[in-house]
Amino acid sequence: MTPLDYVALGLFFVCWLGYDPLLKLLAHRSGTLNDDMSIVRRVWMTAMTHREMRLVDSQLMGHSINSASFFASTNLLLIAAVGGILFGGQAALEGFASVGAEAVPIRVLEAKLALILICLVRGLLDFIWALRQMNYTLALIGAAPEAHSESDRVALGEAATCLLNPALGAFSQGVRGYYFALAAAAWLFGPLWLAVGVAAAFCLLVWRQSGSPAARAIRSARRLLEP
């Protein structure tokens, strides 16, 4: 690999693995969509404990579980596709390289495909962990008693929040893996494309978290929901 490859690869890992602290640093004034949503979910889980019928809460959780299942299934198909090329032998790699990828030694091509595969595998693990925690949350919703003391309701809502927020945080991290997998795929065309892809993915994610219309709307809703 060339020095430019190593520089672009370093930028990739800094933006990918350091995304959360970098996001907090860049959006420390406005806040982030994820932080605002954690408050919204806490209000939701607290309100859930005060409802006699929790059918809507269960349906909303079911929708989230279905979404995570869809992404996990799609991720698995992509892993199979990339893994089939990476571990398909010399002929598969040479055939893939002939469709427009940068002319590099086979070992370097394997490294580029491996980077894509690592992003997808990590995303799959995030989706699996998100699904497990969502199912735990759903069990808490089903176990919530219809009549209880106010302190117990608050405690139960807090427990459900402590499950739901990490669950949907893992889901968001899994979705984020697609952005960086696309950036990693740009490396197939050269290190400059990798650097541009990483910068574009990172800037897009930061904007959606702090400056997008969705982020502004949730920020306004949070101010109304907070006590």
Side-chain angles (χ1 to χ4, degrees):
M1 291 195 299
T2 66
L4 187 56
D5 282 300
Y6 286 109
V7 171
L9 197 57
L11 177 65
F12 176 87
F13 282 111
V14 167
C15 291
W16 182 38
L17 301 179
Y19 173 80
D20 286 327
L22 287 173
L23 175 63
K24 290 180 180 178
L25 180 65
L26 294 171
H28 68 281
R29 290 185 178 179
S30 62
T32 67
L33 179 59
N34 286 342
D35 291 338
D36 293 334
M37 283 302 302
S38 67
I39 301 299
V40 172
R41 295 187 200 108
R42 174 172 281 106
V43 174
W44 173 23
M45 288 294 101
T46 301
M48 176 272 298
T49 62
H50 290 80
R51 283 193 276 268
E52 293 185 3
M53 296 295 295
R54 301 185 179 92
L55 181 60
V56 173
D57 305 293
S58 301
Q59 288 177 333
L60 291 173
M61 282 302 305
H63 173 73
S64 298
I65 291 171
N66 289 336
S67 298
S69 299
F70 169 78
F71 278 105
S73 300
T74 305
N75 215 329
L76 195 57
L77 292 174
L78 292 172
I79 289 171
V82 176
I85 299 171
L86 181 60
F87 302 111
Q90 187 83 5
L93 289 168
E94 290 177 352
F96 177 77
S98 66
V99 300
E102 182 189 29
V104 293
I106 291 298
R107 291 297 182 188
V108 178
L109 179 60
E110 288 176 339
K112 294 180 178 183
L113 290 171
L115 183 63
I116 301 172
L117 190 62
I118 289 170
C119 292
L120 293 172
V121 169
R122 185 189 178 189
L124 177 63
L125 295 176
D126 288 328
F127 287 131
I128 291 172
W129 182 225
L131 281 168
R132 289 181 64 88
Q133 293 181 94
M134 287 180 195
N135 278 285
Y136 299 153
T137 307
L138 195 58
L140 275 184
I141 292 174
E146 293 185 3
H148 223 296
S149 66
E150 182 61 25
S151 60
D152 288 343
R153 290 181 188 272
V154 171
L156 186 60
E158 185 64 28
T161 302
C162 291
L163 275 174
L164 184 59
N165 275 332
L168 293 177
F171 177 78
S172 297
Q173 187 166 292
V175 172
R176 191 160 64 242
Y178 283 113
Y179 289 82
F180 286 102
L182 284 172
W187 192 21
L188 293 168
F189 304 100
L192 185 59
W193 284 103
L194 173 61
V196 171
V198 171
F202 182 80
C203 291
L204 178 61
L205 287 167
V206 170
W207 175 77
R208 287 183 173 177
Q209 280 288 319
S210 59
S212 66
R216 293 196 297 269
I218 295 297
R219 194 174 302 132
S220 299
R222 172 184 174 174
R223 296 191 189 102
L224 295 174
L225 293 171
E226 279 186 312

